[in-house]
Amino acid sequence: MRKNIVAGNWKMNTTLDEGVELANNVNTLLKGKKANCDVIVCVPFTHLTSVNAVLEPELVKMGAENCSEHAKGAYTGEVSASMVKSTGADYVILGHSERRQYFGENNEQLLEKTKQALANDLKPIFCVGEVLEERENGSYNDVVKSQVEALFSLTPEEFSKIVIAYEPVWAIGTGKTATAEQAQDMHAHIRKVIEDKYGKEVADNTSILYGGSCKPSNAKKLFAKPDVDGGLIGGAALKAEDFMGIIEAFG
Ligand code: PEP
């Protein structure tokens, strides 16, 4: 059966020292109180090796926030999936709305990134989600369906390694959370889209996380929904106590 997961996305925050301290604090809090879900911190490339050194892998797993669609070579400034894997990471966030919006990442590129991640034994946390206009004009189900379908050339075995994060763009960093009912409706829709392509077993085993202004005060209500298998957490992942408060929603 699918896993419950709480994953932090630190984005472009924290210096190396601050990041190591934050990771250490998360690790320490989890040592005191065992989590009822898998916990992941996704951190800047520059922090991966040092953060990995302070995390106990049975308590907290680590991921990157992106990787290249290329395996290696003359791509100055890029970081490959094999480089990420070599730091000790197990996960990589792909297709975050900030990457799609500010760096023009498209479905074709994201499929290539996903293939690179899988070829290097990294589990993609693949983000999908509509913008405000699409929520308001009612096209949100179709938009998210086509984002998920971008991965449909993967084999069932490959797809079963993917974690989906539904992050309505209008809820990211805005303080405006989707209601638990909106999240449930979309997560059930995504699971059906997966089922229609890969069958019920793959769909039932896919963890689908909610992201967008998730905090200790609203996590419990969101995670109580049957198709919401945890969260991808931005702002609230930058304070170990807040992150822990969200993890504890799985009480
Ligand atoms: C995110 O960017 O993945 C996110 C969910 O951000 P926030 O929690 O800050 O809305």
Side-chain angles (χ1 to χ4, degrees):
M1 204 46 192
R2 60 185 178 260
K3 289 177 176 174
N4 289 325
I5 299 172
V6 172
N9 171 18
W10 292 4
K11 312 193 185 190
M12 198 173 74
N13 292 299
T14 73
T15 61
L16 180 57
D17 285 352
E18 290 164 351
V20 170
E21 191 185 346
L22 175 57
N24 218 348
N25 290 342
V26 170
N27 196 80
T28 304
L29 286 174
L30 282 164
K31 233 191 284 195
K33 198 166 194 301
K34 179 115 188 51
N36 287 320
C37 61
D38 283 8
V39 178
I40 306 165
V41 290
C42 296
V43 310
F45 291 134
T46 47
H47 298 17
L48 285 165
T49 303
S50 307
V51 163
N52 189 53
V54 300
L55 294 178
E56 290 170 61
E58 65 282 7
L59 297 178
V60 194
K61 301 265 189 267
M62 186 181 71
E65 301 173 13
N66 183 26
C67 73
S68 173
E69 67 266 41
H70 304 290
K72 64 190 282 192
Y75 300 102
T76 303
E78 287 291 280
V79 175
S80 71
S82 68
M83 292 172 181
V84 169
K85 185 68 193 180
S86 70
T87 67
D90 288 311
Y91 289 86
V92 60
I93 296 174
L94 293 176
H96 191 281
S97 63
E98 288 150 17
R99 302 285 329 162
R100 293 178 189 259
Q101 209 175 331
Y102 306 144
F103 303 95
E105 291 189 4
N106 58 38
N107 285 345
E108 293 71 36
Q109 208 176 355
L110 288 170
L111 175 62
E112 292 310 310
K113 288 183 183 227
T114 302
K115 287 181 181 167
Q116 282 298 323
L118 292 172
N120 288 283
D121 198 23
L122 288 171
K123 294 185 194 73
I125 301 174
F126 191 83
C127 302
V128 297
E130 80 283 1
V131 298
L132 184 60
E133 193 192 341
E134 293 158 344
R135 171 58 55 173
E136 288 177 345
N137 70 21
S139 63
Y140 51 93
N141 278 337
D142 290 340
V143 168
V144 170
K145 181 172 189 258
S146 70
Q147 291 171 335
V148 175
E149 283 174 344
L151 299 181
F152 278 6
S153 59
L154 298 179
T155 65
E157 200 199 349
E158 288 169 332
F159 192 88
S160 59
K161 298 194 175 104
I162 308 276
V163 173
I164 301 284
Y166 168 57
E167 300 206 303
V169 180
W170 47 271
I172 296 178
T174 58
K176 211 172 165 187
T177 319
T179 63
E181 290 68 31
Q182 284 172 322
Q184 168 58 27
D185 286 351
M186 180 58 86
H187 284 222
H189 169 64
I190 293 170
R191 205 176 299 288
K192 179 75 173 67
V193 168
I194 296 169
E195 181 180 336
D196 288 347
K197 169 71 183 172
Y198 289 110
K200 191 161 164 47
E201 195 180 333
V202 172
D204 282 347
N205 285 327
T206 302
S207 297
I208 306 177
L209 314 184
Y210 168 78
S213 299
C214 187
K215 25 186 194 277
S217 58
N218 57 27
K220 209 171 184 140
K221 211 166 166 196
L222 286 158
F223 299 173
K225 292 292 178 190
D227 288 291
V228 179
D229 308 312
L232 180 57
I233 316 299
L238 294 172
K239 284 202 185 117
E241 291 74 18
D242 288 350
F243 192 52
M244 194 64 198
I246 294 172
I247 293 164
E248 283 174 346
F250 280 115

Coordinates of all heavy atoms in Angstrom, one line a residue, residues 69-116:
E69 N 18.1 17.3 -17.5 CA 17.6 16.3 -18.3 C 18.7 15.6 -19.1 O 18.4 14.6 -19.8 CB 16.5 16.9 -19.3 CG 17.1 17.9 -20.4 CD 17.0 19.3 -19.9 OE1 17.3 19.6 -18.7 OE2 16.6 20.2 -20.8
H70 N 19.9 16.1 -19.0 CA 21.0 15.4 -19.7 C 21.8 14.6 -18.7 O 21.9 14.9 -17.5 CB 22.0 16.5 -20.2 CG 21.2 17.5 -21.1 ND1 20.8 17.1 -22.4 CD2 20.9 18.8 -21.0 CE1 20.2 18.1 -22.9 NE2 20.2 19.2 -22.1
A71 N 22.5 13.6 -19.2 CA 23.3 12.6 -18.4 C 24.6 13.3 -17.9 O 25.0 13.1 -16.7 CB 23.5 11.4 -19.1
K72 N 25.3 13.9 -18.8 CA 26.6 14.6 -18.5 C 27.0 15.4 -19.6 O 26.4 15.4 -20.7 CB 27.6 13.5 -18.2 CG 28.0 12.6 -19.4 CD 28.8 11.5 -19.0 CE 30.3 11.9 -18.8 NZ 31.2 10.7 -18.7
G73 N 28.1 16.2 -19.4 CA 28.7 16.9 -20.5 C 28.7 18.4 -20.4 O 28.7 19.0 -19.3
A74 N 28.7 19.1 -21.6 CA 28.9 20.5 -21.6 C 27.6 21.3 -21.4 O 27.0 21.8 -22.3 CB 29.5 20.9 -23.0
Y75 N 27.2 21.3 -20.1 CA 26.0 22.0 -19.7 C 26.3 22.8 -18.5 O 25.9 22.5 -17.4 CB 24.8 21.0 -19.5 CG 24.5 20.2 -20.7 CD1 24.9 18.9 -20.8 CD2 23.8 20.7 -21.7 CE1 24.6 18.1 -21.9 CE2 23.5 20.0 -22.9 CZ 23.9 18.7 -22.9 OH 23.6 17.9 -24.1
T76 N 27.1 23.8 -18.7 CA 27.7 24.6 -17.6 C 26.6 25.0 -16.6 O 25.5 25.6 -17.0 CB 28.4 25.9 -18.2 OG1 29.4 25.5 -19.1 CG2 29.0 26.7 -17.1
G77 N 26.8 24.8 -15.3 CA 25.9 25.2 -14.3 C 24.8 24.2 -14.0 O 24.1 24.3 -13.0
E78 N 24.7 23.1 -14.8 CA 23.7 22.1 -14.5 C 24.2 21.0 -13.6 O 25.4 20.8 -13.4 CB 23.3 21.5 -15.9 CG 22.4 22.4 -16.7 CD 21.0 22.6 -16.1 OE1 20.2 21.8 -16.2 OE2 20.8 23.7 -15.5
V79 N 23.3 20.3 -13.0 CA 23.6 19.2 -12.1 C 22.8 18.0 -12.5 O 21.6 18.0 -12.6 CB 23.3 19.6 -10.6 CG1 23.5 18.4 -9.7 CG2 24.1 20.8 -10.2
S80 N 23.6 16.9 -12.8 CA 22.9 15.7 -13.3 C 22.3 14.9 -12.2 O 22.7 15.0 -11.0 CB 24.0 14.9 -14.1 OG 24.9 14.3 -13.2
A81 N 21.5 13.9 -12.6 CA 20.8 13.0 -11.6 C 21.9 12.1 -11.0 O 21.8 11.8 -9.8 CB 19.8 12.2 -12.3
S82 N 22.9 11.7 -11.8 CA 24.0 10.9 -11.2 C 24.8 11.6 -10.1 O 25.2 11.1 -9.1 CB 24.9 10.2 -12.2 OG 25.6 11.2 -12.8
M83 N 25.0 12.9 -10.4 CA 25.7 13.8 -9.4 C 24.8 13.9 -8.1 O 25.3 13.7 -7.0 CB 25.9 15.2 -9.9 CG 26.9 15.3 -11.0 SD 26.8 17.0 -11.7 CE 28.0 16.9 -12.9
V84 N 23.5 14.1 -8.3 CA 22.6 14.2 -7.1 C 22.7 12.8 -6.3 O 22.8 12.8 -5.1 CB 21.2 14.5 -7.6 CG1 20.2 14.3 -6.4 CG2 21.1 15.9 -8.1
K85 N 22.6 11.7 -7.1 CA 22.6 10.4 -6.4 C 23.8 10.2 -5.6 O 23.8 9.6 -4.5 CB 22.4 9.3 -7.5 CG 22.3 7.9 -6.9 CD 21.0 7.8 -6.1 CE 21.0 6.5 -5.3 NZ 19.7 6.3 -4.6
S86 N 25.0 10.7 -6.2 CA 26.3 10.4 -5.5 C 26.4 11.1 -4.2 O 27.3 10.9 -3.4 CB 27.4 10.8 -6.5 OG 27.5 12.2 -6.6
T87 N 25.5 12.1 -3.9 CA 25.6 12.8 -2.6 C 24.9 12.0 -1.5 O 24.9 12.4 -0.3 CB 24.9 14.2 -2.7 OG1 23.5 14.0 -2.9 CG2 25.5 15.0 -3.8
G88 N 24.1 11.0 -1.9 CA 23.3 10.2 -0.9 C 21.8 10.5 -1.0 O 21.1 10.0 -0.2
A89 N 21.4 11.3 -2.0 CA 20.0 11.6 -2.1 C 19.2 10.4 -2.6 O 19.8 9.6 -3.4 CB 19.8 12.8 -3.1
D90 N 18.0 10.3 -2.2 CA 17.1 9.3 -2.7 C 15.9 9.8 -3.6 O 15.3 9.1 -4.3 CB 16.4 8.5 -1.5 CG 17.4 7.6 -0.8 OD1 18.1 6.9 -1.5 OD2 17.5 7.7 0.4
Y91 N 15.7 11.2 -3.5 CA 14.6 11.8 -4.1 C 15.0 13.0 -4.9 O 16.1 13.6 -4.7 CB 13.5 12.2 -3.1 CG 12.8 11.1 -2.4 CD1 13.3 10.5 -1.3 CD2 11.5 10.7 -2.9 CE1 12.6 9.4 -0.7 CE2 10.9 9.6 -2.3 CZ 11.4 9.0 -1.2 OH 10.7 7.9 -0.6
V92 N 14.2 13.4 -5.8 CA 14.4 14.7 -6.5 C 13.0 15.3 -6.9 O 12.1 14.6 -7.4 CB 15.3 14.6 -7.8 CG1 14.7 13.6 -8.8 CG2 15.6 15.9 -8.4
I93 N 12.8 16.6 -6.5 CA 11.6 17.2 -7.0 C 11.7 17.6 -8.4 O 12.8 18.1 -8.9 CB 11.4 18.5 -6.1 CG1 11.2 18.2 -4.7 CG2 10.2 19.3 -6.7 CD1 11.1 19.5 -3.8
L94 N 10.7 17.3 -9.2 CA 10.8 17.7 -10.6 C 9.4 18.4 -11.0 O 8.4 18.0 -10.5 CB 10.9 16.4 -11.5 CG 12.3 15.7 -11.4 CD1 12.3 14.5 -12.3 CD2 13.4 16.7 -11.8
G95 N 9.6 19.4 -11.9 CA 8.4 20.1 -12.4 C 7.7 21.0 -11.4 O 6.5 21.3 -11.5
H96 N 8.4 21.4 -10.4 CA 7.8 22.4 -9.4 C 7.3 23.6 -10.3 O 7.9 24.0 -11.3 CB 8.9 22.9 -8.4 CG 8.2 23.6 -7.3 ND1 7.9 25.0 -7.4 CD2 7.8 23.3 -6.1 CE1 7.3 25.4 -6.3 NE2 7.3 24.4 -5.5
S97 N 6.2 24.2 -9.8 CA 5.6 25.2 -10.6 C 6.6 26.4 -10.8 O 6.5 27.1 -11.8 CB 4.3 25.7 -10.0 OG 4.6 26.3 -8.7
E98 N 7.5 26.6 -9.8 CA 8.5 27.7 -10.0 C 9.4 27.4 -11.2 O 9.9 28.3 -11.9 CB 9.2 28.0 -8.7 CG 8.3 28.6 -7.7 CD 8.5 28.3 -6.2 OE1 9.6 27.8 -5.9 OE2 7.7 28.5 -5.4
R99 N 9.8 26.1 -11.3 CA 10.6 25.7 -12.5 C 9.8 25.8 -13.8 O 10.4 26.3 -14.8 CB 11.1 24.2 -12.3 CG 11.9 23.9 -11.1 CD 13.3 24.4 -11.0 NE 14.0 24.4 -12.2 CZ 15.1 25.2 -12.4 NH1 15.6 25.9 -11.4 NH2 15.7 25.2 -13.5
R100 N 8.6 25.4 -13.8 CA 7.8 25.6 -15.0 C 7.6 27.0 -15.4 O 7.7 27.4 -16.5 CB 6.4 24.9 -14.8 CG 6.4 23.4 -14.6 CD 5.0 22.9 -14.3 NE 4.9 21.5 -13.9 CZ 4.6 20.5 -14.7 NH1 4.4 20.7 -16.0 NH2 4.5 19.3 -14.2
Q101 N 7.3 27.8 -14.4 CA 6.9 29.2 -14.6 C 8.1 30.1 -14.9 O 8.1 30.9 -15.8 CB 6.2 29.7 -13.3 CG 5.2 30.8 -13.5 CD 4.5 31.1 -12.2 OE1 4.4 30.3 -11.3 NE2 4.1 32.4 -12.0
Y102 N 9.2 30.0 -14.1 CA 10.3 31.0 -14.2 C 11.4 30.4 -15.1 O 12.3 31.2 -15.6 CB 10.9 31.3 -12.8 CG 10.0 31.8 -11.8 CD1 10.1 31.4 -10.5 CD2 8.9 32.6 -12.1 CE1 9.2 31.8 -9.5 CE2 8.0 33.0 -11.2 CZ 8.2 32.7 -9.9 OH 7.3 33.1 -8.9
F103 N 11.5 29.1 -15.3 CA 12.6 28.6 -16.1 C 12.1 27.8 -17.3 O 12.8 27.1 -18.0 CB 13.4 27.6 -15.2 CG 14.0 28.4 -14.0 CD1 13.4 28.3 -12.8 CD2 15.1 29.2 -14.1 CE1 13.9 29.0 -11.7 CE2 15.6 29.9 -13.0 CZ 15.0 29.8 -11.8
G104 N 10.8 28.0 -17.6 CA 10.2 27.5 -18.8 C 10.2 26.0 -19.0 O 10.2 25.5 -20.1
E105 N 10.3 25.2 -17.9 CA 10.3 23.8 -18.1 C 9.0 23.3 -18.6 O 7.9 23.6 -18.1 CB 10.7 23.1 -16.7 CG 12.1 23.4 -16.3 CD 12.6 22.6 -15.1 OE1 11.8 21.8 -14.6 OE2 13.7 22.9 -14.6
N106 N 9.1 22.4 -19.6 CA 7.9 21.9 -20.3 C 7.8 20.4 -20.1 O 8.7 19.8 -19.6 CB 7.9 22.3 -21.8 CG 9.1 21.8 -22.5 OD1 9.5 20.7 -22.2 ND2 9.6 22.6 -23.4
N107 N 6.7 19.9 -20.6 CA 6.4 18.4 -20.4 C 7.5 17.5 -21.0 O 7.8 16.5 -20.4 CB 5.0 18.1 -21.0 CG 3.9 18.6 -20.2 OD1 4.1 19.0 -19.0 ND2 2.7 18.6 -20.8
E108 N 8.0 17.9 -22.2 CA 9.0 17.0 -22.8 C 10.3 17.0 -22.0 O 10.9 15.9 -21.8 CB 9.3 17.6 -24.2 CG 8.2 17.5 -25.3 CD 7.1 18.5 -25.0 OE1 7.3 19.6 -24.5 OE2 5.9 18.1 -25.2
Q109 N 10.7 18.2 -21.6 CA 11.9 18.3 -20.7 C 11.7 17.5 -19.4 O 12.6 16.8 -18.9 CB 12.1 19.8 -20.4 CG 13.5 20.2 -20.2 CD 13.5 21.7 -20.0 OE1 12.4 22.4 -20.2 NE2 14.6 22.3 -19.7
L110 N 10.5 17.6 -18.8 CA 10.3 17.0 -17.6 C 10.2 15.5 -17.7 O 10.7 14.8 -16.8 CB 9.0 17.5 -16.9 CG 9.1 19.0 -16.4 CD1 7.8 19.6 -16.1 CD2 10.1 19.0 -15.3
L111 N 9.8 15.0 -18.8 CA 9.9 13.6 -19.1 C 11.3 13.1 -19.1 O 11.7 12.1 -18.5 CB 9.1 13.2 -20.4 CG 9.2 11.7 -20.8 CD1 8.6 10.8 -19.7 CD2 8.6 11.5 -22.1
E112 N 12.2 13.9 -19.8 CA 13.6 13.5 -19.9 C 14.3 13.6 -18.5 O 15.1 12.7 -18.1 CB 14.3 14.5 -20.8 CG 13.9 14.3 -22.3 CD 13.9 12.8 -22.8 OE1 15.0 12.1 -22.5 OE2 12.9 12.4 -23.3
K113 N 13.9 14.6 -17.7 CA 14.5 14.7 -16.3 C 14.0 13.5 -15.5 O 14.8 12.9 -14.7 CB 14.0 16.0 -15.6 CG 14.6 17.2 -16.2 CD 14.2 18.5 -15.4 CE 14.8 19.7 -16.0 NZ 15.3 20.6 -15.1
T114 N 12.7 13.1 -15.7 CA 12.2 12.0 -14.9 C 13.0 10.7 -15.3 O 13.3 9.9 -14.4 CB 10.7 11.8 -15.2 OG1 10.1 13.0 -14.8 CG2 10.1 10.7 -14.4
K115 N 13.2 10.5 -16.6 CA 14.0 9.3 -17.0 C 15.4 9.3 -16.5 O 15.9 8.3 -16.1 CB 14.0 9.3 -18.6 CG 12.7 8.9 -19.2 CD 12.9 8.9 -20.7 CE 11.6 8.6 -21.4 NZ 11.7 8.8 -22.9
Q116 N 16.0 10.5 -16.4 CA 17.4 10.6 -15.8 C 17.3 10.2 -14.4 O 18.2 9.5 -13.9 CB 17.9 12.0 -16.0 CG 18.4 12.4 -17.4 CD 19.6 11.5 -17.8 OE1 20.5 11.1 -16.9 NE2 19.7 11.1 -19.0

